């Protein structure tokens, strides 16, 4: 995960757009029920622990991963891979094409359709979908989220929030739109009557932002008048405050902490960086750090054990940082690169050797969980790792014996089992935990 941005601010009076959209679409406008037999009403994602999309020249398909069960109890180490079905209001299966993006929220997912997503131009369709029952709520085309990575390095400051749909503690989500790059706030209190509110200043093109637990927002934007990239801070009440977060010669990082506060790191020399809290647009220094945040040192951010762990590695992997909140800021040496979270633990998984190593997030100590025999995979060209657990690794691959795309699992006893055939390479894997 990568992130970045810039600063300034002036109080701007802007037009607030608040739209209420009936996402059920069951009323014909005259008080009667309209025929929804061809309309998407729900999808079969219940009990899924992960979703993935595979794509080929014939199109893309959405699959689910869930644990197999006997008498209602999960059977450890086995998964069921199944193609997601799309249902109308009568529970009948309908056809949908080109699922392109999955984003995981607390109680919902956002599912986008349309190959246009892949060329950075937004979705053709997008839906808010409840995890518990698969019920679908349509997002109007005008308000579809934009979650494609920006290509400009200096716009990657927002560590654990860049290109994400973000949530506050009041059941609201926030995201940017395409192509106008505005921030929308959407209340999820009544999903069948979604409310969309534009909350960024009217002339701002937003390229990254953080939302705290109360709905205060720090965001970076492009000023078309000055052709500069700047920061702005918007209070949850709606008023804007001039920011004092450093820009220009400084390297910066910004993130939302586990306590719901917005934090930042600034740096102006190789060995001189400061961690602080961002309140009312101001940067309040908390402590000095040796964290090197030069632009080229983008790392990954993991939310694990109730902590935010930021990792970057130079020529040798050697440390990670606990950036959870002001009481926990620490720099921790570690001999391996963190790259996987399983059951709220942090791991290194080596795709080349199929070695799984547990990382202690308190002190950086490591221990090997298993070292699988990768020679058993000689007939498979490995594509994506779908799931790693204590019982083995589920992966997608091309079966070199016949050219078929498959999902398979290698167990800790080094037994390889094909679980299902799929229609092409996997483009997206999303855990729903």
């Amino acid at each position: 995960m990568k992130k970045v941005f810039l600063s300034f601010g002036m109080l701007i009076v802007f037009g607030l757009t608040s739209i209420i959209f009936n996402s059920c679409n069951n009323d014909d406008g005259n008080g009667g029920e309209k025929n929804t037999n061809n309309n998407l009403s729900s999808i079969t994602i219940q009990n899924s622990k992960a979703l993935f999309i595979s794509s080929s020249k014939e199109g893309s398909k959405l699959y689910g991963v869930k644990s197999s069960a006997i008498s209602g109890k999960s059977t450890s180490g086995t998964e069921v891979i199944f193609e997601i079905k799309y249902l109308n209001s009568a529970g009948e299966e309908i056809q949908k094409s080109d699922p392109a993006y999955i984003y995981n929220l607390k109680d919902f997912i956002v599912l986008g359709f349309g190959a246009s997503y892949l060329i950075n131009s937004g979705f053709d369709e997008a839906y808010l979908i409840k995890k518990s029952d698969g019920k679908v709520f349509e997002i109007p085309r005008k308000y579809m989220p934009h979650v494609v990575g920006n290509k400009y390095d200096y716009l990657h400051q927002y560590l654990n929030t860049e290109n994400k749909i973000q949530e506050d503690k009041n059941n609201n989500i926030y995201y940017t739109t395409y192509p106008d790059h505005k921030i929308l706030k959407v209340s999820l209190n009544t999903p069948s009557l979604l409310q969309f509110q534009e909350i960024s200043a009217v002339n701002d093109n937003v390229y990254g932002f953080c939302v705290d637990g109360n709905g205060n927002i720090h965001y970076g934007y492009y000023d078309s008048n000055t052709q500069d990239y700047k920061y702005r801070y918007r209070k949850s009440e709606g008023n804007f405050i001039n920011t004092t977060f450093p820009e220009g010669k400084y390297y910066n990082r910004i993130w939302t902490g586990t306590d719901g506060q917005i934090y930042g790191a600034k740096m102006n020399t190789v060995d001189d960086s400061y961690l602080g809290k961002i309140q009312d647009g101001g940067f309040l220094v908390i402590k000095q750090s040796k964290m090197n945040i030069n632009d080229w040192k983008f790392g990954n951010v993991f939310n694990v054990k109730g902590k935010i762990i930021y990792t970057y590695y130079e020529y040798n992997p050697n440390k990670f940082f606990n950036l959870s909140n002001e009481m926990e800021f620490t720099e921790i040496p570690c001999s391996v690169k963190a790259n996987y979270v399983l059951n709220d633990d942090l791991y290194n998984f080596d795709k080349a050797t199929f070695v799984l190593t547990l990382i202690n997030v308190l002190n950086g100590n490591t221990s090997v969980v298993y070292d699988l025999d990768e020679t058993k995979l000689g007939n498979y060209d490995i594509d994506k790792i779908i799931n790693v657990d204590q019982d083995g690794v589920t992966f997608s691959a091309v079966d070199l014996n016949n050219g078929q795309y498959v999902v398979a699992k290698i167990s800790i006893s080094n037994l390889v089992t094909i679980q299902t055939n799929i229609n092409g390479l996997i483009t997206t894997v999303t855990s729903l935990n």
Side-chain angles (χ1 to χ4, degrees), residues 67-315:
S67 298
S68 62
I70 300 176
S71 301
K73 295 184 179 181
S74 174
T75 302
S76 176
T78 59
E79 293 91 26
V80 175
I81 312 294
F82 61 101
E83 187 175 341
I84 298 294
K85 294 181 179 180
Y86 307 103
L87 308 176
N88 64 16
S89 59
E92 302 164 334
E93 185 174 358
I94 61 175
Q95 298 301 310
K96 296 291 292 180
S97 60
D98 293 326
Y101 182 81
I102 310 159
Y103 188 79
N104 185 43
L105 299 167
K106 183 177 66 174
D107 299 316
F108 295 84
I109 66 166
V110 172
L111 179 62
F113 288 84
S116 60
Y117 164 80
L118 301 176
I119 56 173
N120 199 33
S121 59
F123 301 118
D124 293 330
E125 302 174 52
Y127 299 90
L128 185 74
I129 301 172
K130 198 169 184 180
K131 292 181 185 178
S132 60
D133 59 12
K135 187 170 179 58
V136 164
F137 306 95
E138 185 177 2
I139 299 174
R141 188 174 184 85
K142 181 178 179 181
Y143 303 111
M144 289 184 187
H146 181 237
V147 286
V148 180
N150 194 284
K151 296 179 181 178
Y152 297 101
D153 285 347
Y154 49 84
L155 298 179
H156 289 169
Q157 278 174 274
Y158 292 91
L159 280 178
N160 65 341
T161 57
E162 184 199 14
N163 301 320
K164 289 191 172 183
I165 301 171
Q166 299 172 46
E167 301 178 79
D168 66 17
K169 66 182 181 182
N170 298 313
N171 210 27
N172 300 304
I173 62 173
Y174 303 77
Y175 58 81
T176 55
T177 59
Y178 185 88
D180 51 356
H181 296 281
K182 304 302 181 186
I183 300 178
L184 290 188
K185 175 182 178 181
V186 186
S187 172
L188 301 185
N189 289 318
T190 308
S192 60
L193 199 64
L194 295 175
Q195 301 178 50
F196 299 83
Q197 188 179 41
E198 185 180 307
I199 58 174
S200 51
V202 67
N203 291 315
D204 292 351
N205 289 326
V206 179
Y207 288 93
F209 68 100
C210 283
V211 177
D212 71 13
N214 295 317
N216 300 305
I217 301 175
H218 186 286
Y219 70 84
Y221 69 100
Y222 176 71
D223 187 330
S224 57
N225 293 323
T226 63
Q227 297 186 344
D228 290 328
Y229 291 91
K230 301 178 179 180
Y231 291 128
R232 204 185 291 285
Y233 188 89
R234 181 191 186 273
K235 298 276 288 182
S236 59
E237 295 86 356
N239 57 307
F240 290 90
I241 295 176
N242 291 341
T243 62
T244 58
F245 195 71
E247 56 176 312
K249 63 181 179 180
Y250 293 93
Y251 297 109
N252 303 312
R253 298 290 183 269
I254 305 165
W255 66 94
T256 303
T258 55
D259 54 1
Q261 301 292 316
I262 297 177
Y263 291 92
K266 69 174 185 176
M267 173 182 174
N268 57 0
T269 69
V270 172
D271 297 313
D272 183 15
S273 60
Y274 296 90
L275 301 174
K277 182 184 295 186
I278 299 175
Q279 288 184 328
D280 293 334
F283 181 74
L284 308 177
V285 173
I286 295 173
K287 67 180 296 184
Q288 189 171 3
S289 172
K290 294 298 182 183
M291 185 171 74
N292 191 328
I293 56 175
N294 279 315
D295 277 351
W296 59 272
K297 292 183 182 297
F298 295 119
N300 295 310
V301 180
F302 301 94
N303 294 282
V304 60
K305 294 290 187 187
K307 303 180 186 301
I308 296 173
I309 304 298
Y310 173 56
T311 67
Y312 71 79
Y313 300 92
E314 301 182 73
Y315 299 107

Side-chain angles (χ1 to χ4, degrees), residues 409-425:
K409 181 165 187 172
I410 180 170
S411 70
I412 56 174
S413 59
N414 292 307
L415 177 66
V416 179
T417 305
I418 294 179
Q419 296 177 305
T420 190
N421 294 336
I422 56 176
N423 72 320
L425 292 174

Side-chain angles (χ1 to χ4, degrees), residues 341-403:
V341 173
L342 166 66
N343 296 329
D344 207 31
D345 279 313
L346 189 62
Y347 292 86
N348 168 264
F349 176 71
D350 190 323
K351 185 178 176 180
T353 62
F354 274 54
V355 175
L356 182 68
T357 302
L358 176 66
I359 301 171
N360 186 319
V361 297
L362 297 179
N363 55 28
N365 292 343
T366 63
S367 58
V368 174
V369 178
Y370 53 68
D371 183 355
L372 302 183
D373 183 2
E374 69 273 16
T375 64
K376 301 292 186 181
L377 305 170
N379 290 329
Y380 298 95
D381 184 14
I382 309 298
D383 177 28
K384 294 287 194 305
I385 302 301
I386 296 175
N387 188 60
V388 177
D389 58 32
Q390 302 286 352
D391 302 290
V393 179
T394 302
F395 58 91
S396 65
V398 177
D399 186 339
L400 298 177
N401 291 320
N402 53 26

